[in-house]
Structures are given as C-alpha cells and as structure tokens.
Amino acid sequence: MQSSKVNVFYFLGICAVFRLTTNCLRKRLGFVLVGVLAMPNVVHAGELMVDLTKVTSWNHASNQAKIAAELQYADMASHANSALNSGNISTNQSTSKKRGSSIYDPKINLAQSRLEVMLVRKLFNNTNQHVNGIEFDLSEYNFTFDDIDSLKLNLRVSKALSYLPIAPKSPHNIEHQFIDKLFSPRHHFAATFYGQFHHKIDVQTTYAKAFLSLEATESPSNVLIAAKDMSFYNSKNYRKSPLSAIDRSAKVYGLIITADTVGLTTLENLMNQSADFNNRFKNDELYIESYLQLNQLAINTPK
C-alpha cells in the first residue's frame, strides 16, 4: 500500500514537472513545441521539415500550346533515362508524353522519397513569366517571418535534363547591358515565403525571398540560406517596399519555388515595357528549363 502511494505521488510529480516544462517551452518556442508534440515532420525543436508529398503547383504549359511547343524538354524521346520513367512515380495527372502535358508538373519519386520537377522561366515576356512552379502550404505550422532563421535544402539540378539558352544573335541582338541579367551558365531559383494575402495582389502582403544559384551536377548538395541573406518586403499591386528587421511579425502561410533569371527579371522589364521591346521581341521567347531534384526542405527557427 505504501509502495502504491509512493508511485502515485511519483507519477503526479512527473506530470507537474512536464506541465511546467511544456509551459516554459511554449512561451519560448511558440509553434515549435506544437510541432514536436503533434507534427511528425518536425525533426527537433527549431527545425521544421516540409512534407514534399504535399506539394501543389501551377503549369501554364499545360494549356498554352505555344509555350509547350517552344520548350526543349517536351521532346521526351531524348530523355529516356529520366527518373520520371522509373515506374515508381506519384502524380495527380497522367505522365503523358505529349507536348504541353503534365511532364511539367511535379512528380514524387516514391522509391527515393524525393520530388522532381522541370521548372521553366521565360526570359523575354512578363506574361506567365514563371511558366510553372511548386508551392507548399505552411499555414498549419503557425510561425512568423521573424521566426525564420534559415532555409535548408538538399537538391540537385540535372545536367542531362536541363537547358540554358544562349543570347540570340542578329537580327535580334540584345543590348549588352541586359545580357548579364538574363543569361548565365548557372541555374537560378527563387524560394519565396509569403503571407496571408499572397493571392490578392491588391492587399498588402509580407514576403521573404531567398535566391539560389546552382551548377547542374549529377550529385545532390546541401544548401543553407540564412535569413540575413534573404530579401524581406511588403508588396501590394506588384509594388514592393522593404521590410525592417523589427517589422516581421506577420504569419508565414506558404513557400513557392520557381526557376528564375540571374537578375530576377525579364527583358520586357529591362526595356521598361517599351514600344522598342514590342517591335523587336514581343513575339519571340527563350526559356530556362531547370530539372530540379529536391530531396529535403526544412526551415530552421530559433531554438
């Protein structure tokens, strides 16, 4: 009987300590504590592992024949060794080999637990300049822009499956001062955290953009982008305003990853949407096609 009483008091003592500890941690870590208790994709306090299988996307090549016809990767016959043909792929659409089909949608390689997608970016025109992209809903994790310490990725860009255009020659010469902002021997990506009203351009929304510059290789590598190297800003009607370090309390709702130009812009923007651009380049287009293999995506927050 005495032993039972001791065990009861011992158990109650453990419960009290646990409750006190969790309350302290909740005040200090916020969403991280909830993640540790309820979210299996949080490895440890301070590291939020994003579930790659919950990816969503958009794909303008699927419904615009002109775009699809101009892309290099649409010729699937030359990519017979693509991991997409391994037969162990999960996708919401069929893996049709027709031009403009779902070959530009993200695929999950179930055998190797990775996401694969051909990301496409226009160089000339603004309309649908990010031909496709991938997106992750982060709203359930309840953290703010101020909580972002760094973004960690394990990834590679396939050299065999990617395509980088070269600057065109006469009769469509591009002014020299624009070439270095559009053409590069490396592949560039933007990873953009966004706030609540991202899908309403006329409502001010907070963003944090990380920029990646990668060489195409056959081996994956780890990339860590610190918050100090990201661009924090508010945006409304496509007009951006810098965001100070003391004004980052807005909640993060999601993350978008797109292929991009080295200058994060288009020729149309560089030429100020002028009549000269319309006369010389409006009906032409070049594309960056970056085949991305994403093995891990994590957000580090303060411990």
Side-chain angles (χ1 to χ4, degrees):
M1 185 70 178
Q2 184 68 23
S3 175
S4 297
K5 289 182 178 180
V6 171
N7 288 337
V8 169
F9 285 121
Y10 181 71
F11 175 76
L12 292 175
I14 290 175
C15 291
V17 171
F18 178 78
R19 184 174 183 178
L20 178 62
T21 302
T22 53
N23 285 338
C24 292
L25 287 173
R26 180 176 283 106
K27 291 179 180 179
R28 183 175 182 183
L29 299 177
F31 85 95
V32 173
L33 176 64
V34 177
V36 171
L37 295 178
M39 297 179 187
N41 55 339
V42 175
V43 176
H44 56 75
E47 184 175 86
L48 169 62
M49 293 293 296
V50 177
D51 185 351
L52 299 181
T53 66
K54 294 184 177 180
V55 64
T56 59
S57 64
W58 72 91
N59 175 11
H60 297 303
S62 66
N63 56 20
Q64 296 188 34
K66 182 179 185 299
I67 292 178
E70 293 175 340
L71 296 175
Q72 302 295 317
Y73 184 68
D75 183 9
M76 288 289 287
S78 63
H79 302 296
N81 294 324
S82 169
L84 295 184
N85 296 324
S86 65
N88 200 1
I89 298 300
S90 172
T91 179
N92 293 328
Q93 301 185 38
S94 65
T95 53
S96 168
K97 295 184 180 181
K98 295 180 181 179
R99 292 180 179 271
S101 70
S102 62
I103 60 173
Y104 294 96
D105 293 328
K107 309 296 187 297
I108 302 298
N109 188 310
L110 300 177
Q112 302 187 39
S113 300
R114 71 189 185 205
L115 183 154
E116 299 181 14
V117 61
M118 173 64 81
L119 292 175
V120 182
R121 173 67 150 99
K122 289 184 178 181
L123 275 73
F124 288 0
N125 290 274
N126 284 343
T127 303
N128 300 146
Q129 56 187 277
H130 295 107
V131 173
N132 66 341
I134 56 176
E135 184 171 356
F136 300 93
D137 183 352
L138 304 178
S139 59
E140 65 181 292
Y141 300 113
N142 196 32
F143 68 102
T144 70
F145 286 87
D146 192 48
D147 290 324
I148 300 172
D149 183 72
S150 59
L151 177 65
K152 184 172 72 172
L153 309 98
N154 180 272
L155 74 174
R156 79 177 180 97
V157 179
S158 171
K159 188 174 183 179
L161 301 179
S162 300
Y163 174 78
L164 290 172
I166 59 175
K169 297 180 180 180
S170 181
H172 298 292
N173 289 319
I174 298 177
E175 283 75 0
H176 179 74
Q177 68 267 29
F178 300 150
I179 290 180
D180 289 344
K181 295 183 181 298
L182 298 174
F183 299 91
S184 170
R186 300 171 67 90
H187 292 263
H188 300 92
F189 302 89
T192 308
F193 294 96
Y194 62 81
Q196 182 177 6
F197 300 109
H198 166 66
H199 298 290
K200 298 181 179 180
I201 63 170
D202 59 340
V203 180
Q204 180 168 283
T205 304
T206 302
Y207 294 88
K209 187 184 293 290
F211 187 56
L212 295 78
S213 177
L214 303 171
E215 290 185 349
T217 65
E218 298 310 318
S219 299
S221 59
N222 293 312
V223 176
L224 185 69
I225 306 173
K228 66 180 180 63
D229 296 319
M230 298 181 189
S231 174
F232 289 79
Y233 58 93
N234 284 325
S235 180
K236 180 180 179 180
N237 293 324
Y238 300 112
R239 295 181 180 274
K240 298 179 181 179
S241 57
L243 195 63
S244 70
I246 60 174
D247 189 25
R248 299 177 183 175
S249 59
K251 178 180 173 179
V252 175
Y253 277 76
L255 175 69
I256 288 173
I257 299 178
T258 55
D260 227 307
T261 58
V262 61
L264 299 172
T265 190
T266 63
L267 183 60
E268 184 173 359
N269 282 335
L270 292 171
M271 297 181 67
N272 299 314
Q273 302 178 358
S274 64
D276 186 30
F277 170 82
N278 290 334
N279 292 333
R280 296 168 59 195
F281 300 103
K282 187 67 175 179
N283 296 322
D284 296 327
E285 193 56 77
L286 291 177
Y287 301 87
I288 295 170
E289 301 179 53
S290 301
Y291 192 95
L292 181 67
Q293 172 192 312
L294 184 60
N295 303 307
Q296 186 183 79
L297 175 63
I299 301 147
N300 293 323
T301 61
K303 301 292 191 294

